[in-house]
Amino acid sequence: MKRSVFFGAMAAGLVAGAASAATLDDVQSRGTLNCGVSTGLPGFSSPNAQGQWEGFDVAVCRAVAAAVLGDPQAVEFVPTTGQTRFTALASGEIDMLARNTTWTFSRDNDLKFEFTGINYYDGQGFMVPKALGVTSARDLSGATVCIQTGTTTELNLADYFRANNMDYEPVPIETNAEAQQQYLAGACDVYTTDRSGLAATRATFENPGDHVILPETISKEPLGPLVRHGDPEWGDIVRWTLNALVAAEEYGVTSANVDELAQGTENPEINRLLGTEGELGAMIRLDNNWAVNAIKAGGNYGELFERYLGEGTPIGLPRGLNAQWQNGGLLYAPPFR
Amino acid sequence: MTTTAAEPPKQSFHLGQLIYDTRYRSLTIQIVALVLLMLFFSWLVSNTVQNLATLGKDFDFSYLGQRAGYDINQRLIDYSSESTHARAALVGILNTLLVAFMGCVAATIIGVIAGVLRLSSNWIVSRLMTVYVEGFRNVPLLLWIIAIFALMTEGTPQPRDFREGGTASMLLFDSVAISNRGVYVPAPVWGPGSLALGIVFVLSIVGIWAWRRYAHARQERTGEILPVFAVSLALLLVPSVLAYFVLGAPIGLDYPELGGFNFAGGLHLRNSLIALWLALSLYTGAFIAEIVRGGILAVSRGQTEAAFALGLRPRRTMNLVILPQALRVIIPPLISQYLNLTKNSSLAIAVGYMDVRSTLGGISINQTGRELEGMLLLGGFYLLLSLVISSAMNFYNSRVKLKER
């Protein structure tokens, strides 16, 4: 009896290993989406006073959960550090990662992940205390720099200082919270990460005005959600959920009017997006109102940006590159047809 | 010749015997266990291979030859972001060895002192040591590492406070600066002639060794006790100091000075190293103290009384009678404490100390996605290091253990 149980468990383990390719089925049978987020970066993903995760990256997870399961709350958030995020995704602990992660060639191809789009166009910057009197990153030779390990920013930093013949002392840090604490204690002169991350971190300081973000942007950091390689179906779902949020802003579909518009409109593109026309949902094995659910979860891209990062928030980031293409930004959702 | 012993009935072998016959039973069980074990391992390997294939990954160590691309703050050998991942791993290995070695030495010193003092008849001293041992032994090491690190980052001044008119100042005639980025001490500068000085120093150590041998032999022969300590101290200092001045002060000191953002020059002991080293030493020292105390208590009281009866003073009793016997009890558990300390040094990541876990097993894995390869190498390294430490200590143990004739 015992032996048969043992072999049964073994067989089950083998089957589970083989079946993990179909992430959509796993998520639907589980009833929750496991989504990897950061350990806490205000504006992008951090728990609020009620212990609920919220932020710009969190909203992407919730939109995907709403599209797949019809419930934006059906998300299990897994906090990951810069070092643990890829292992968590590769091992199947999480179904998708939405943790301001930079899309690079080697991550896409060598690490075997699939980036499903870009939800924030960013670049790496430097933050220093105003009291240092530094106005340019070129003045930073000899500085002590706090840097999150296992990130692209770590590599950019090494390249930038090398290319400009400057030396520096890296202080490797595991999470944004630790970096903030070290930086405020003066254990490092400079904190470097994505400019959005700097703005978000600075917004939580007691005196944000005492710190400046230097004008130089030393890299391109296209941040986006990603999934495992080898399950294109699941990758498409995450990709088109993100596209739906972007397209919704373009067509003026908001969380407030989506129910009304879902009754049918004059615009066939909106009708296809919201499932009143065509069978787009079935093509990605979802209900036809998947996009309605995704948009209702938190709103379209513009609403999410305004709520978590925009100029009305303490973080106060301008839309910049993250505006719609008609407004001079880079957001450009492919057609829904 | 008529009666012949009947041939014993030839037993035919049947399968049931494999279980019910005691001659075969143990063999059967062992074979079954072996087969199950092999099945388990082959399942493990095939599962790994299958999962790697599902992820589209291969198993390849060639990433070690690629450019690492990241910088490491504490390097004992030349390294830059242009170096390879293998070089980065080596830098990490040396950092691990450094903190492990420093930790083992300090933990032994702390442990022996605390262990002996805990047996002190002075109530306050022995109670203080009890508080130390129980306090450090019963709180997780990680907490101590973080607590000491936080204390050093938050409780010490920033480098810019050392400027003119600042709130902080350097210690010991402006030679040592304790800042929240680490402790800066003067660094030796090896000028011409320092090799000769080094040779003189080594020769005087040889001289000390020879003098002790001679003194010991003479005491064995005549019973006369020669002044070993004073002569040793003189041998250690006098020739070196003389040579230093004769050679025209070949070794200078490079003092740390505030320049730009940080102190420049001197030797920079980073807070991460100090915090990790202190925490590892104090934590493991508490365990060693208990081992030492146990070792001393294991030597029977009669030995001390016998030594006193022979007229030996308490210090000589300790050095000549108690400790040599206690060592036999102390060494074996001490080995495992050294191994623990070495392996615990992998908690370095908590304070950003760039040990082998942070380079080979951290950043390199993250930048290349070679989790399996990196973790196997890391495991192999710690295994090898532990085996080396353990065999070195076992060698020492066989030297001090009871020689039975």
Side-chain angles (χ1 to χ4, degrees):
Chain A
M1 179 58 205
K2 255 184 189 159
R3 197 181 300 169
S4 68
V5 168
F6 175 69
F7 281 117
M10 236 156 123
L14 281 169
V15 171
S20 67
T23 313
L24 176 60
D25 297 334
D26 290 353
V27 172
Q28 281 177 335
S29 67
R30 197 191 304 132
T32 54
L33 172 76
N34 292 337
C35 194
V37 290
S38 76
T39 52
L41 177 62
F44 283 90
S45 46
S46 61
N48 65 13
Q50 283 80 45
Q52 296 268 343
W53 283 89
E54 63 174 27
F56 196 61
D57 281 335
V58 165
V60 174
C61 301
R62 293 210 190 277
V64 173
V68 174
L69 302 165
D71 178 8
Q73 300 302 322
V75 190
E76 191 75 47
F77 289 102
V78 179
T80 57
T81 68
Q83 288 215 22
T84 59
R85 54 182 163 178
F86 295 134
T87 320
L89 182 59
S91 68
E93 188 188 343
I94 53 180
D95 304 312
M96 61 176 284
L97 179 69
R99 186 199 178 278
N100 35 40
T101 300
T102 307
W103 186 354
T104 69
F105 184 93
S106 62
R107 282 179 179 172
D108 205 326
N109 300 302
D110 195 27
L111 266 61
K112 306 293 180 194
F113 295 127
E114 190 177 333
F115 281 81
T116 60
I118 295 166
N119 70 340
Y120 193 93
Y121 290 89
D122 210 342
Q124 183 177 350
F126 297 98
M127 176 165 64
V128 293
K130 232 175 208 163
L132 282 184
V134 175
T135 53
S136 159
R138 298 296 178 94
D139 302 338
L140 289 178
S141 188
T144 304
V145 183
C146 275
I147 175 82
Q148 288 188 51
T149 62
T151 59
T152 49
T153 50
E154 186 172 42
L155 305 179
N156 298 332
L157 178 71
D159 290 347
Y160 180 78
F161 275 79
R162 192 175 177 81
N164 289 298
N165 255 330
M166 307 192 294
D167 53 314
Y168 70 107
E169 157 101 11
V171 177
I173 304 280
E174 188 79 329
T175 66
N176 192 60
E178 278 173 52
Q180 182 174 335
Q181 181 245 327
Q182 294 271 305
Y183 173 77
L184 286 177
C188 44
D189 303 303
V190 190
Y191 178 35
T192 181
T193 184
D194 303 331
R195 297 182 77 87
S196 62
L198 291 180
T201 308
R202 185 173 64 166
T204 63
F205 289 176
E206 211 168 314
N207 299 311
D210 292 350
H211 303 269
V212 283
I213 296 175
L214 298 178
E216 284 88 352
T217 300
I218 66 165
S219 68
K220 290 188 288 186
E221 307 285 342
L223 310 179
L226 58 155
V227 298
R228 269 184 302 282
H229 213 74
D231 189 359
E233 226 177 30
W234 176 247
D236 286 340
I237 290 172
V238 179
R239 173 175 302 112
W240 284 95
T241 305
L242 183 58
N243 281 336
L245 299 182
V246 174
E249 187 190 12
E250 185 181 341
Y251 302 134
V253 183
T254 65
S255 52
N257 66 12
V258 63
D259 279 329
E260 184 192 329
L261 295 175
Q263 306 299 320
T265 66
E266 300 297 306
N267 187 338
E269 182 90 7
I270 295 181
N271 290 348
R272 281 192 297 270
L273 172 67
L274 301 183
T276 45
E277 202 179 309
E279 290 290 322
L280 294 191
M283 293 179 198
I284 49 174
R285 289 175 56 204
L286 295 179
D287 292 341
N288 237 13
N289 62 347
W290 64 281
V292 176
N293 288 337
I295 296 164
K296 265 204 290 196
N300 63 34
Y301 185 95
E303 290 178 78
L304 296 178
F305 197 100
E306 283 317 308
R307 182 171 326 132
Y308 298 119
L309 305 172
E311 274 157 344
T313 66
I315 298 168
L317 288 168
R319 283 297 285 267
L321 290 176
N322 298 293
Q324 290 287 338
W325 58 284
Q326 305 104 316
N327 304 334
L330 293 175
L331 292 186
Y332 188 99
F336 278 77
R337 66 164 64 246
Chain B
M1 296 298 278
T2 54
T3 55
T4 53
E7 289 279 315
K10 193 128 187 170
Q11 274 187 342
S12 64
F13 181 79
H14 53 97
L15 277 177
Q17 268 180 290
L18 285 180
I19 293 173
Y20 298 115
D21 191 325
T22 47
R23 284 174 297 174
Y24 305 119
R25 188 191 288 149
S26 65
L27 203 65
T28 315
I29 292 173
Q30 289 184 45
I31 287 175
V32 167
L34 187 70
V35 167
L36 283 180
L37 200 68
M38 279 162 63
L39 266 180
F40 175 71
F41 277 108
S42 64
W43 172 76
L44 214 59
V45 169
S46 79
N47 186 286
T48 309
V49 169
Q50 191 191 351
N51 278 327
L52 280 177
T54 316
L55 288 171
K57 286 186 169 187
D58 54 352
F59 189 74
D60 185 5
F61 286 100
S62 64
Y63 78 99
L64 287 173
Q66 290 165 8
R67 178 179 179 271
Y70 59 91
D71 283 303
I72 299 176
N73 49 14
Q74 179 178 305
R75 335 171 261 269
L76 300 180
I77 52 173
D78 272 341
Y79 173 86
S80 75
S81 57
E82 296 294 307
S83 309
T84 61
H85 282 292
R87 187 88 177 166
L90 187 61
V91 173
I93 285 175
L94 289 176
N95 285 344
T96 293
L97 292 179
L98 176 74
V99 79
F101 176 76
M102 286 167 58
C104 284
V105 171
T108 311
I109 295 172
I110 295 172
V112 170
I113 293 176
V116 172
L117 288 188
R118 210 182 159 184
L119 292 172
S120 163
S121 49
N122 185 319
W123 190 84
I124 292 179
V125 169
S126 70
R127 276 316 117 108
L128 272 179
M129 289 303 129
T130 310
V131 169
Y132 157 67
V133 167
E134 299 303 336
F136 272 86
R137 216 163 52 137
N138 297 312
V139 174
L141 175 57
L142 187 60
L143 291 188
W144 282 118
I145 295 177
I146 294 174
I148 294 178
F149 185 67
L151 202 69
M152 296 183 58
T153 334
E154 303 284 346
T156 51
Q158 305 178 23
R160 69 182 106 122
D161 292 339
F162 287 88
R163 293 222 185 96
E164 297 270 332
T167 49
S169 56
M170 293 169 74
L171 309 171
L172 297 174
F173 309 106
D174 275 359
S175 64
V176 175
I178 299 176
S179 79
N180 64 356
R181 293 177 193 173
V183 177
Y184 295 82
V185 296
V189 181
W190 310 100
S194 45
L195 182 69
L197 188 62
I199 293 173
V200 169
F201 187 71
V202 170
L203 282 179
S204 48
I205 291 198
V206 173
I208 292 172
W209 176 77
W211 170 253
R212 295 179 87 104
R213 240 182 110 85
Y214 168 73
H216 192 73
R218 194 181 152 101
Q219 188 188 347
E220 292 274 298
R221 211 168 52 243
T222 65
E224 186 187 351
I225 297 176
L226 292 171
V228 172
F229 181 74
V231 173
S232 297
L233 196 66
L235 271 176
L236 186 72
L237 294 180
V238 174
S240 296
V241 169
L242 278 181
Y244 178 78
F245 287 111
V246 168
L247 290 166
I251 299 179
L253 283 179
D254 177 22
Y255 289 98
E257 263 177 72
L258 197 59
F261 290 101
N262 290 317
F263 283 93
L267 201 62
H268 181 193
L269 304 172
R270 287 174 182 76
N271 268 348
S272 51
L273 170 68
I274 296 177
L276 186 66
W277 172 53
L278 271 183
L280 282 173
S281 313
L282 288 171
Y283 179 78
T284 315
F287 286 90
I288 293 180
E290 285 300 88
I291 294 171
V292 168
R293 187 171 71 107
I296 292 172
L297 288 179
V299 179
S300 103
R301 176 88 193 134
Q303 298 277 334
T304 316
E305 284 163 359
F308 286 164
L310 288 173
L312 286 179
R313 300 207 184 107
R315 237 192 74 203
R316 287 193 169 276
T317 308
M318 193 52 124
N319 284 339
L320 298 174
V321 180
I322 310 290
L323 275 183
Q325 296 186 76
L327 271 185
R328 290 171 197 141
V329 185
I330 291 172
I331 298 291
L334 196 62
I335 301 174
S336 64
Q337 287 310 321
Y338 284 171
L339 296 182
N340 277 347
L341 189 145
T342 307
K343 288 177 290 179
N344 284 343
S345 72
S346 62
L347 288 171
I349 189 65
V351 288
Y353 181 75
M354 296 303 276
D355 72 334
V356 65
R357 155 76 186 79
S358 307
T359 60
L360 174 68
I363 302 177
S364 286
I365 284 186
N366 217 317
Q367 305 291 11
T368 60
R370 301 278 171 194
E371 296 94 353
L372 193 61
E373 292 90 336
M375 282 299 159
L376 281 179
L377 283 177
L378 193 63
F381 164 72
Y382 279 113
L383 180 67
L384 190 73
L385 182 60
S386 297
L387 288 178
V388 167
I389 294 175
S390 157
S391 50
M393 292 298 292
N394 277 328
F395 174 73
Y396 180 65
N397 188 33
S398 65
R399 295 261 323 261
V400 297
K401 80 173 176 204
L402 197 61
K403 306 274 190 308
E404 295 185 17
R405 299 190 177 92

